[in-house]
Structures are given as structure tokens and as C-alpha cells.
Amino acid sequence: LIKNFRLDLIREAIKLLLDNPHLSNRELARQIGVSEPSIRYWKKHPIWTEERQKLINDRAEAIGLKDAQE
């Protein structure tokens, strides 16, 4: 359905951004080897929000918190 929809790269981008919230789309794109428009496109897509929440939840579980929704 979505061309060049690389979930592994999307997850990598989200992880980078969670660790480095100051990163620009351009810098984020450069670090994972995709175009800046790809980053913009991903961020607008619901998969970005879903995967971001999953990662936040996983990290929260890893440090022993139950609810990472806040």
C-alpha cells in the first residue's frame, strides 16, 4: 500500500528522536539515510504515532513503569 514504507527505518527514526528531541527532520533523515521528505511523510502517517507509543511503552516497561501514556 505504501511505497518505501520501511518500518525498521521508521522505528529507528523514532528512537533517535526520542533520545534527541532537538534533531531537525533534515538531521534525522541524514542520520538514518533517508530523504527529508520521507521523514515528513512518516510523521504525518498514523503509523508514526502508533510506533512511537509502542516504543514509549516498551521503554516504560523496561524501567518498571506501568503507564506511559502521560
Side-chain angles (χ1 to χ4, degrees):
L1 203 138
I2 296 163
K3 205 168 98 179
N4 295 332
F5 215 56
R6 297 276 312 275
L7 202 51
D8 55 334
L9 287 177
I10 291 172
R11 286 187 180 127
E12 195 179 330
I14 293 168
K15 281 180 192 167
L16 256 175
L17 205 52
L18 286 174
D19 293 335
N20 309 280
H22 63 281
L23 284 182
S24 66
N25 285 352
R26 180 187 291 162
E27 182 57 23
L28 192 56
R30 191 190 66 74
Q31 287 196 29
I32 62 169
V34 299
S35 67
E36 186 186 1
S38 289
I39 299 289
R40 284 199 307 269
Y41 177 73
W42 294 345
K43 283 182 168 183
K44 287 180 193 154
H45 200 277
I47 197 79
W48 180 273
T49 310
E50 291 166 23
E51 289 302 318
R52 184 177 181 276
Q53 193 58 56
K54 280 186 209 165
L55 277 167
I56 290 169
N57 291 344
D58 290 348
R59 288 180 176 201
E61 278 178 35
I63 58 172
L65 299 175
K66 284 192 180 128
D67 188 5
Q69 300 292 77
E70 330 241 338

